[in-house]
């Protein structure tokens, strides 16, 4: 049962994360130990494999994994418990209230690992990489803090690149094959599963620059606009969450070709 699993691993779950704003580094430190030197957020952590492995590699930083799905939090907490690591904890949430959960300057890194693309314009406010979210992240990142995105979705990545300058960020690194360039980086369960299907990882690291005086959304919000006309690049792999969109475009192209051919007289 889900409730039993959550209860069993509750030491690795913070059910009321909004009560800890400004105190995470001290409150989550081991008893008698010093405060963590940095707090990092894995936003949309899934079942926690990336969060736990990243925490294992950097024991002086506190890693907070957040996800909106209770089943993911339960499995992530189990993974944290089994690791025995003192510098990882999991919380329920979507990131839409991130400014209530953390004080200004409290986070060193925000990880966005394979976020849901929300391809349709009407759903685009849910994207973790859009202008509104990036402006929220500015409020809680410390000086030199980073947003680190990884995604299998070329359309989402190209959209995300339009949002970086709108929110006053600067790219310090980007790649269309992040795993190939950085093979030793921790891997989420999404990347492991999708990589086995042939996905390449698009990634960037962005840091806040001077804040925009009047941030206004000017980008096309439908991810269909970021899909190339030549759909052959998706023959071997279609990004997770966008298979239906791409198939609709294939069907439309086939229909248009048929209409064109019927108009020819010999």
């Amino acid at each position: 049962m889900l409730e039993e699993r959550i209860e069993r691993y509750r030491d690795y779950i913070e059910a009321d994360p909004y009560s800890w704003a400004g105190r995470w580094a001290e409150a989550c430190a081991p008893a008698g130990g010093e405060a963590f030197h940095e707090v990092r957020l894995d936003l949309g952590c899934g079942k926690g494999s990336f969060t736990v492995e990243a925490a294992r590699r950097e024991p002086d930083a506190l890693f907070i994994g957040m996800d909106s799905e209770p089943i993911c939090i339960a499995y992530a907490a189990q993974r944290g418990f089994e690791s025995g690591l003192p510098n990882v904890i999991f919380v329920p949430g979507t990131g839409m209230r991130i400014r209530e959960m953390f004080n200004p300057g409290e986070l060193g890194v925000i990880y966005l690992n394979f976020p849901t693309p929300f391809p349709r314009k009407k759903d685009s406010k849910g994207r973790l990489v859009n202008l509104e979210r990036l402006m929220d992240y500015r409020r809680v990142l410390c000086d030199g803090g980073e947003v680190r995105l990884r995604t299998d979705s070329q359309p989402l990545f190209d959209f995300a690149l339009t949002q970086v300058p709108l929110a006053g960020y600067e790219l310090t690194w980007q790649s269309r094959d992040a795993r190939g360039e950085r093979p030793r980086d921790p891997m989420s369960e999404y990347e492991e599963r999708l990589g086995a299907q042939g996905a390449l990882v698009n990634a960037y690291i962005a840091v806040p620059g001077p804040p925009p005086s009047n941030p206004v959304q000017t980008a096309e919000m439908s991810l269909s606009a970021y899909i190339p006309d030549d759909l052959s690049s998706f023959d071997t792999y279609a990004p997770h969450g966008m298979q239906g969109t791409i198939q609709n475009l294939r069907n439309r192209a086939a229909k248009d070709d048929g209409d064109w051919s019927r108009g020819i007289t010999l």
Side-chain angles (χ1 to χ4, degrees):
M1 295 288 292
L2 175 60
E3 294 78 9
E4 294 175 356
R5 185 182 294 272
I6 290 176
E7 176 62 24
R8 186 179 308 143
Y9 303 114
R10 61 187 174 87
D11 287 348
Y12 277 81
I13 301 174
E14 176 48 63
D16 184 22
Y18 301 99
S19 65
W20 295 102
R23 299 187 292 143
W24 287 98
E26 297 81 13
C28 293
E34 296 183 357
F36 291 107
H37 83 280
E38 186 178 23
V39 181
R40 299 187 173 193
L41 175 65
D42 184 6
L43 186 48
C45 66
K47 295 181 180 179
S49 58
F50 176 92
T51 323
V52 170
E53 180 55 30
R56 190 191 312 279
R57 298 186 188 192
E58 300 194 53
D60 292 333
L62 172 66
F63 285 80
I64 302 171
M66 181 192 295
D67 205 278
S68 61
E69 295 292 337
I71 188 65
C72 287
I73 292 296
Y75 276 103
Q78 178 179 352
R79 195 182 296 270
F81 174 84
E82 291 172 350
S83 75
L85 295 172
N87 64 323
V88 62
I89 194 165
F90 297 93
V91 302
T94 65
M96 299 299 178
R97 297 171 59 194
I98 194 171
R99 294 191 296 177
E100 300 174 44
M101 192 177 296
F102 301 100
N103 273 10
E106 191 167 9
L107 292 179
V109 179
I110 297 175
Y111 299 97
L112 307 175
N113 288 314
F114 292 78
T116 303
F118 295 106
R120 296 185 296 180
K121 178 179 180 178
K122 70 175 185 177
D123 301 322
S124 61
K125 287 188 177 297
R127 294 177 197 151
L128 295 179
V129 296
N130 65 20
L131 172 61
E132 292 79 6
R133 299 286 76 75
L134 289 175
M135 294 302 294
D136 285 345
Y137 305 156
R138 291 185 68 100
R139 292 283 301 274
V140 297
L141 284 170
C142 65
D143 290 342
E146 299 176 340
V147 174
R148 301 186 184 181
L149 168 67
R150 299 174 77 87
T151 177
D152 66 312
S153 176
Q154 165 266 314
L156 178 65
F157 187 65
D158 285 348
F159 166 79
L161 291 177
T162 71
Q163 304 299 283
V164 169
L166 293 180
Y169 285 69
E170 300 170 356
L171 291 175
T172 60
W173 175 71
Q174 65 172 306
S175 174
R176 299 284 179 171
D177 183 11
R179 181 56 55 186
E181 291 187 25
R182 299 187 175 187
R184 297 180 58 83
D185 281 357
M187 184 179 294
S188 68
E189 61 267 14
Y190 292 104
E191 182 174 349
E192 184 175 3
R193 174 165 56 87
L194 299 177
Q197 298 173 15
L200 289 177
V201 179
N202 304 271
Y204 73 51
I205 297 176
V207 298
S213 58
N214 183 30
V216 176
Q217 183 61 260
T218 58
E220 170 59 57
M221 300 306 291
S222 171
L223 293 189
S224 296
Y226 302 89
I227 296 176
D229 292 336
D230 182 2
L231 297 176
S232 63
S233 59
F234 300 112
D235 286 348
T236 57
Y237 179 81
H240 180 66
M242 295 202 65
Q243 296 93 332
T245 302
I246 291 171
Q247 187 57 52
N248 287 340
L249 290 174
R250 291 189 192 280
N251 293 341
R252 186 182 305 169
K255 181 178 183 298
D256 290 344
D257 287 345
D259 289 343
W260 176 81
S261 64
R262 284 193 294 271
I264 296 177
T265 58
L266 299 178

